[in-house]
Amino acid sequence: TVTYPSPELESHFRARLPQDVKLHVLAPERWLSHCRQLKKQRKLGPLGKIYEEALLPPVRKPLMNRRFRQILLQGGYDVVVDYDMSLSRITGPLPVPMIGYQHFSVAHLASGHGRKLRKLRHQCKVDYDAVVMLTDSMLADARQLMPEAADKLVRLYNAIDLDSIRSRADQPLDPALAPREPFIVSVGRQEESQKDFTSLLRAYAKLVGQGIEERLVLVGDGASRPQLEALARSLGLADRVTFAGFQSNPYAWIRHARLMAFSSKMEGLPNVLLEGLAVGQVVVSTDCPTGPREILDDGRAGLLVPVGDVDGLAEAMRRGLQDVPLRQALLAHASRHVEQMGFGPTGQAFSALVDRLTRPAAASAPAVAAARA
């Protein structure tokens, strides 16, 4: 199930689902979803905010709760997987085991985010039978901050389809957007509160000043794109930076680049770094909490720099482009290291978790499975 319809659901994600996987949209009606989409795009006016935030929730929440529970009961499911920990806000505890996925670092919640930490503690204690952390460091932080829920916390890597990614990476780029020159690529949602493309653009400006030939291509879209385009112009980079927008096949852009740069302030387990390793690309990343250090194996599979360090990012990108022995060493280690992130190891760990949660009820309840996308 997904909560709201979106253009990306129809243009991109639906086609990626196997034919035998059912898809339910909980709030497809325009009166339920339109203002939420405008809010996401930061285009919601004052009257829309009153409707979306005050008038609609008392109607929307019980309606979606009822719809989800009907799907759950009619489908005969006995496990629910909530991939962004939003479902419990609608349904509360369910009559079957529920697994939640926490995608972002929890360490920062201890400093100035008390309300969010209390909410997460409540969810872990009351709503979910298991909560997945995506890295070992996330798991350690969560167990320290929420010792009362430690027995519910597990670590599962995001599994990636290595063969599919590598196959799609070989496809040609859109000739209308692809630069003729060699290029550096960065892939991600253009949202500065997390992704910090500002530091990347400033680091790239330093490299341009040093005479590098590569262009910079930013793949993705988001609310911060206009300010990033303005920053590129102010840095004199308007003719050196390509804003490629949303691309349904980012893997081809990663494969055809000479280097991939990643500048986030905070993550959980950033899939794009895994995808970079999977297609054989040299990766430079900020050492943000959490994920990059674990994915890049403490810097052996890719270069790590401090968050917000423009000079350090520029130097790491220069080395990644120009130091041939370093490039070869990083790529060789990455090709071995990324294999543990494939479907096999993670699938086995996920199956073991589901077996553990369903085994006590196996004698009295029918066997099933349900997934929340």
Side-chain angles (χ1 to χ4, degrees):
T1 68
V2 297
T3 307
Y4 301 103
S6 68
E8 294 80 11
L9 175 63
E10 298 301 327
S11 66
H12 177 54
F13 294 110
R14 189 184 290 268
R16 298 179 63 185
L17 292 175
Q19 292 298 313
D20 59 342
V21 174
K22 296 179 181 179
L23 174 65
H24 302 275
V25 180
L26 297 179
E29 297 89 350
R30 181 178 172 84
W31 66 273
L32 284 171
S33 63
H34 180 63
C35 285
R36 175 56 61 95
Q37 298 299 342
L38 291 179
K39 182 179 179 180
K40 184 178 178 181
Q41 300 165 15
R42 299 185 179 181
K43 297 180 180 178
L44 190 62
L47 292 179
K49 288 183 179 179
I50 294 174
Y51 178 75
E52 167 65 25
E53 299 173 4
L55 300 179
L56 197 53
V59 177
R60 181 171 52 200
K61 183 175 179 178
L63 177 61
M64 291 193 296
N65 184 2
R66 184 168 65 250
R67 287 176 175 177
F68 184 84
R69 288 174 181 269
Q70 288 173 345
I71 294 168
L72 180 66
L73 295 175
Q74 293 172 3
Y77 301 108
D78 56 16
V79 175
V80 170
V81 183
D82 181 2
Y83 280 108
D84 63 1
M85 296 190 72
S86 64
L87 182 62
S88 69
R89 301 174 209 163
I90 298 170
T91 65
L94 290 169
V96 300
M98 180 151 59
I99 302 170
Y101 270 67
Q102 172 67 19
H103 285 273
F104 300 102
S105 167
V106 297
H108 74 289
L109 298 179
S111 303
H113 299 278
R115 186 179 65 83
K116 291 183 178 180
L117 180 57
R118 289 191 296 273
K119 179 189 293 186
L120 182 60
R121 281 174 172 157
H122 176 83
Q123 288 181 298
C124 291
K125 184 177 180 180
V126 177
D127 296 334
Y128 295 95
D129 299 271
V131 177
V132 172
M133 302 290 160
L134 301 183
T135 68
D136 288 328
S137 55
M138 280 182 68
L139 179 62
D141 291 339
R143 284 177 171 168
Q144 182 177 2
L145 287 171
M146 301 181 294
E148 70 280 5
D151 61 332
K152 291 187 177 183
L153 306 178
V154 297
R155 192 273 284 156
L156 290 178
Y157 287 132
N158 279 342
I160 61 173
D161 189 340
L162 297 173
D163 292 337
S164 174
I165 288 172
R166 288 163 178 162
S167 175
R168 296 180 67 199
D170 288 332
Q171 297 176 9
L173 299 178
D174 181 349
L177 291 173
R180 296 180 180 179
E181 305 89 342
F183 64 92
I184 301 164
V185 69
S186 187
V187 180
R189 185 181 71 258
Q190 290 174 14
E191 176 54 64
E192 282 302 272
S193 63
Q194 179 187 355
K195 299 299 185 180
D196 195 15
F197 286 103
T198 294
S199 291
L200 176 59
L201 285 169
R202 295 189 183 281
Y204 178 66
K206 290 182 176 293
L207 293 177
V208 171
Q210 296 170 14
I212 70 161
E213 297 180 356
E214 288 81 4
R215 292 179 60 87
L216 176 64
V217 177
L218 302 184
V219 174
D221 217 335
S224 299
R225 178 169 173 172
Q227 74 185 67
L228 293 171
E229 291 176 329
L231 177 61
R233 290 192 296 271
S234 71
L235 294 171
L237 302 175
D239 60 345
R240 297 289 301 263
V241 178
T242 298
F243 286 83
F246 174 80
Q247 296 291 320
S248 61
N249 182 12
Y251 318 122
W253 288 89
I254 298 172
R255 164 68 63 80
H256 287 86
R258 293 206 64 239
L259 178 140
M260 185 176 77
F262 187 76
S263 53
S264 277
K265 302 174 184 177
M266 177 187 70
E267 288 288 341
L269 188 78
N271 279 349
V272 70
L273 295 185
L274 298 174
E275 292 156 0
L277 302 189
V279 305
Q281 185 53 269
V282 176
V283 174
V284 173
S285 172
T286 48
D287 189 13
C288 68
T290 61
R293 178 165 291 276
E294 205 160 320
I295 292 172
L296 300 181
D297 200 16
D298 288 325
R300 289 182 287 272
L303 299 179
L304 293 164
V305 299
V307 173
D309 184 353
V310 172
D311 291 338
L313 183 57
E315 175 60 16
M317 291 164 65
R318 186 197 63 76
R319 292 178 62 212
L321 290 168
Q322 299 176 357
D323 188 332
V324 175
L326 175 63
R327 287 176 60 90
Q328 293 173 341
L330 292 172
L331 292 173
H333 189 86
S335 67
R336 299 187 297 269
H337 179 65
V338 75
E339 293 301 321
Q340 67 175 309
M341 307 292 185
F343 276 141
T346 299
Q348 292 173 6
F350 179 81
S351 295
L353 174 61
V354 172
D355 287 345
R356 175 169 65 82
L357 294 178
T358 57
R359 192 178 301 117
S364 58
V368 285
R372 172 173 171 77

